[in-house]
Amino acid sequence: MADQVITDLDTLRLLDKTLLDDLWEKTAGARAWQRGNARSAALQQLLAPITTPTDSTLAAQVSSAIDRPLLGQICELLEASGSFKIRLERHTLRSEGPDEVKILVPRAAITPMWPMGTNVWIRDLAKIASRLMSAASSGIPQAAVWRQDGLELLMSGVALLSTPAQLRRFENIVKHEGDPHLLHADLWPHIFLNIDSNLLGETDESWSHKQDAWQMLLVYVLDALAAGHVKETSLTASERKLLGLIVPFLAKTEYWRHETSGSWEELPAVRTSVIVWDVAVLDRIATAVQEGRLSFLHEDFAKYQAFLPAPLTGTSLASCCQLLAEAGAKQLLELLPHESPGYASDDPRYRDADAAATYHLLLDAPQMVARYAPAPADWLAGIQQQIVAGLLSLQDPVTRGIRRYRGDSYQGHNYFTHETVARLEAICGGPSGDASGLEAFKLRASVIKPGYEAAWCHPLWQLVGYAARESSRTQAPEAILLRNELLLQGLGALTGDNEWTTEKTAEGILRNIPIEPLRFTEAWLAVEHAGEIRYIPSPHTPLQWCVAEAMNAFSLVWQSMSLDAAK
């Protein structure tokens, strides 16, 4: 980034010296990073008998000592400390005529910063809803009150996507014959909405809306319908129309080769982490049609069929789902275990390992692919472990968080400092601004010192959940050890005592603020000052999505440990 866009670098650097001097003084008492140890004294007291010595050669013996009684004590501590608290807000949404719908929404994080503290993401809402509902079925004592909030959140997401403005966006994509509606993200259904002013989605909010969020939500809704948690008779006309637009929308956009921004909301590419959700939602609809459920989908499909590409205009809904799912499955078969490998290695869109690959584990992508594409036996036997290996290759060696991908610049080195923030405001509007354009993506990377990628925590908790499911399924010693080792790493990534971070206030002021212990942060960030590197939690603490992933992970570990005890 050219220095001339910054009015006074010397002033900014003096401000940063003051900011970092203050941060260094305040974080002097924070516990040093040490593998196997918690940053909170209260949590470390529980873990101390099993986490010393911490020599990595003893990792297997150390991690195997975790048992269900200890997990119960840890959960009691976290519950008492407010670690599992997810702040949900009730709002009134006018959706159909004079009727008003009460909805429940989460802000992404508890912070005044735009956009994490001002907007709701459909993706975060969907993941929180799903995790609350999943955790509630585990039997863990803290889970008893989670299911109802999860179900209400889920249907609140459906209400947000089925407002007149949102349905128009879906329908415009299906009906429009020119490129603009297909290529411009601002014209797609909005998965990012200002809570205080735009829940109806009537105002266009510029963002990387082309991603995986609405597909996630509707996978969970279709699962809830199949399980009987949501009754088909309770769906409004608008909600039925939303479900009826899924297949036409995915057909019209030719999703399997359409470039989207993915969960990280960055440079558009053909991404396996998005395709897998597209195939999953098609798979759910295909199953519903086969079982004779959701019969209204046939009428909606017929209504939009004339706008679809020629090969699909004469097919039944069932055949269309099959053909579309096959197209996505073939892409996954070819591209996995990588994220977006269909580009030259020096192309910014190229990506091998990516933290969003946790979705393939969550959705059991290999088996889903095999239903729609001829997957070789050796591929099926090895692809899951390749995905896991790719994720573990992204672990930060200090914090054990998961880097989103190699070379990620978002929340990187000295990210929330005056000089960096001034440069980011010129590039993409702010620290969390939209960097999905090629120029903005490259410029952001150019102003961040490489080698200090943010280490994210919610993918780590997703891995804990995966390892717990695998240990329940196989009861293999290596699966149990992986589950326990990852659990220790997740606990080690909880905030500790004397923890501080830097935030940008609504007035644009950078300030250091304290972070409570035992909080699930979004990521650990590297800060350098006077030749020393320290790691501080992201100002997006707690990240509500991360809280929900951790709740789900604890419930899955709780379940799997009951099988340990039965052996």
Side-chain angles (χ1 to χ4, degrees), residues 266-268 347-349 435-445:
E266 294 184 339
L267 199 60
D347 189 317
R349 293 171 294 180
S436 60
L438 178 59
E439 182 180 8
F441 184 80
K442 288 182 173 180
L443 284 173
R444 188 184 68 184

Side-chain angles (χ1 to χ4, degrees), residues 102-177:
K102 300 289 186 180
I103 63 170
L104 201 59
V105 296
R107 295 176 194 262
I110 309 306
T111 173
M113 295 176 64
W114 176 89
M116 298 295 288
T118 60
N119 282 50
V120 57
W121 271 261
I122 297 296
R123 177 194 60 239
D124 293 44
L125 180 153
K127 300 303 288 186
I128 293 169
S130 165
R131 293 312 186 221
L132 288 174
M133 293 177 69
S134 175
S137 64
S138 69
I140 192 171
Q142 289 78 9
V145 298
W146 294 343
R147 179 184 295 278
Q148 187 54 44
D149 280 348
L151 186 58
E152 189 173 353
L153 265 179
L154 192 68
M155 297 314 295
S156 295
V158 175
L160 289 171
L161 282 176
S162 57
T163 64
Q166 293 281 52
L167 290 175
R168 278 196 301 272
R169 292 187 179 103
F170 276 100
E171 201 165 46
N172 285 343
I173 298 292
V174 173
K175 290 184 174 181
H176 198 77
E177 295 303 322

Side-chain angles (χ1 to χ4, degrees), residues 45 70-71 89 177 183 187 206 210 307 416 453 474 480 490:
Q45 186 174 356
L70 176 57
L71 183 67
E89 302 175 17
E177 295 303 322
L183 297 179
L187 299 174
S206 183
K210 291 165 63 170
F307 299 100
F416 291 98
E453 297 99 326
T474 68
I480 295 172

Side-chain angles (χ1 to χ4, degrees), residues 439-462:
E439 182 180 8
F441 184 80
K442 288 182 173 180
L443 284 173
R444 188 184 68 184
S446 74
V447 304
I448 304 298
K449 183 177 179 178
Y452 295 95
E453 297 99 326
W456 292 62
C457 295
H458 71 267
L460 178 56
W461 286 107
Q462 288 170 331

Side-chain angles (χ1 to χ4, degrees), residues 86 125-137 146 150 220 277 358-359 362 461-462 465 469 545 547-553 555-556:
I86 295 178
L125 180 153
K127 300 303 288 186
I128 293 169
S130 165
R131 293 312 186 221
L132 288 174
M133 293 177 69
S134 175
S137 64
W146 294 343
Y220 296 137
W277 285 106
T358 54
Y359 299 152
L362 167 69
W461 286 107
Q462 288 170 331
R469 289 193 303 272
W545 177 10
V547 177
E549 292 289 2
M551 292 163 71
N552 184 59
S555 70
L556 290 169

Side-chain angles (χ1 to χ4, degrees), residues 139-400:
I140 192 171
Q142 289 78 9
V145 298
W146 294 343
R147 179 184 295 278
Q148 187 54 44
D149 280 348
L151 186 58
E152 189 173 353
L153 265 179
L154 192 68
M155 297 314 295
S156 295
V158 175
L160 289 171
L161 282 176
S162 57
T163 64
Q166 293 281 52
L167 290 175
R168 278 196 301 272
R169 292 187 179 103
F170 276 100
E171 201 165 46
N172 285 343
I173 298 292
V174 173
K175 290 184 174 181
H176 198 77
E177 295 303 322
D179 283 341
H181 279 77
L182 294 180
L183 297 179
H184 203 296
D186 290 353
L187 299 174
W188 279 45
H190 280 21
I191 53 76
F192 164 94
L193 299 163
N194 186 284
I195 289 178
D196 296 324
S197 64
N198 197 34
L199 285 176
L200 287 170
E202 293 174 341
T203 301
D204 288 341
E205 292 195 59
S206 183
W207 199 251
S208 48
H209 295 291
K210 291 165 63 170
Q211 49 173 279
D212 46 22
W214 65 262
Q215 300 94 310
M216 288 183 188
L217 179 81
L218 297 183
V219 164
Y220 296 137
V221 169
L222 289 164
D223 285 346
L225 282 162
H229 300 314
V230 175
K231 302 298 183 186
E232 183 178 338
T233 53
S234 71
L235 296 174
T236 67
S238 294
E239 291 166 349
R240 290 175 178 233
K241 183 175 182 178
L242 172 66
L243 294 176
L245 279 161
I246 295 173
V247 174
F249 187 96
L250 293 175
K252 187 61 175 280
T253 58
E254 296 185 330
Y255 75 91
W256 62 94
R257 56 187 171 206
H258 198 89
E259 293 188 330
T260 59
S261 292
S263 280
W264 310 142
E265 303 180 328
E266 294 184 339
L267 199 60
V270 176
R271 300 181 178 279
T272 59
S273 65
V274 177
I275 294 171
V276 74
W277 285 106
D278 296 327
V279 175
V281 76
L282 288 166
D283 180 59
R284 267 58 172 188
I285 292 177
T287 300
V289 170
Q290 184 179 11
E291 294 175 352
R293 296 184 289 107
L294 307 182
S295 58
F296 62 87
L297 294 176
H298 295 276
E299 181 180 345
D300 288 329
F301 179 70
K303 177 181 177 181
Y304 297 111
Q305 196 168 15
F307 299 100
L308 304 188
L312 302 175
T313 54
T315 63
S316 66
L317 175 58
S319 295
C320 187
C321 285
Q322 180 72 25
L323 290 169
L324 291 175
E326 286 175 1
K330 289 174 183 175
Q331 275 283 59
L332 293 174
L333 183 61
E334 179 181 344
L335 300 179
L336 285 176
H338 305 305
E339 167 71 348
S340 52
Y343 305 91
S345 59
D346 59 350
D347 189 317
R349 293 171 294 180
Y350 175 85
R351 186 80 48 78
D352 49 14
D354 190 292
T358 54
Y359 299 152
H360 302 303
L361 304 177
L362 167 69
L363 293 168
D364 196 6
Q367 294 304 315
M368 188 166 64
V369 166
R371 288 198 290 274
Y372 297 101
D378 59 344
W379 185 88
L380 281 171
I383 191 63
Q384 183 167 283
Q385 287 309 308
Q386 292 179 49
I387 292 169
V388 173
L391 287 163
L392 293 177
S393 77
L394 295 172
Q395 275 202 296
D396 178 72
V398 177
T399 66
R400 310 307 292 172

Side-chain angles (χ1 to χ4, degrees), residues 68-89:
R68 209 178 193 213
L70 176 57
L71 183 67
Q73 291 179 303
I74 292 169
C75 288
E76 288 175 6
L77 172 64
L78 297 180
E79 178 74 15
S81 301
S83 307
F84 292 140
K85 183 178 181 180
I86 295 178
R87 194 174 81 180
L88 304 173
E89 302 175 17

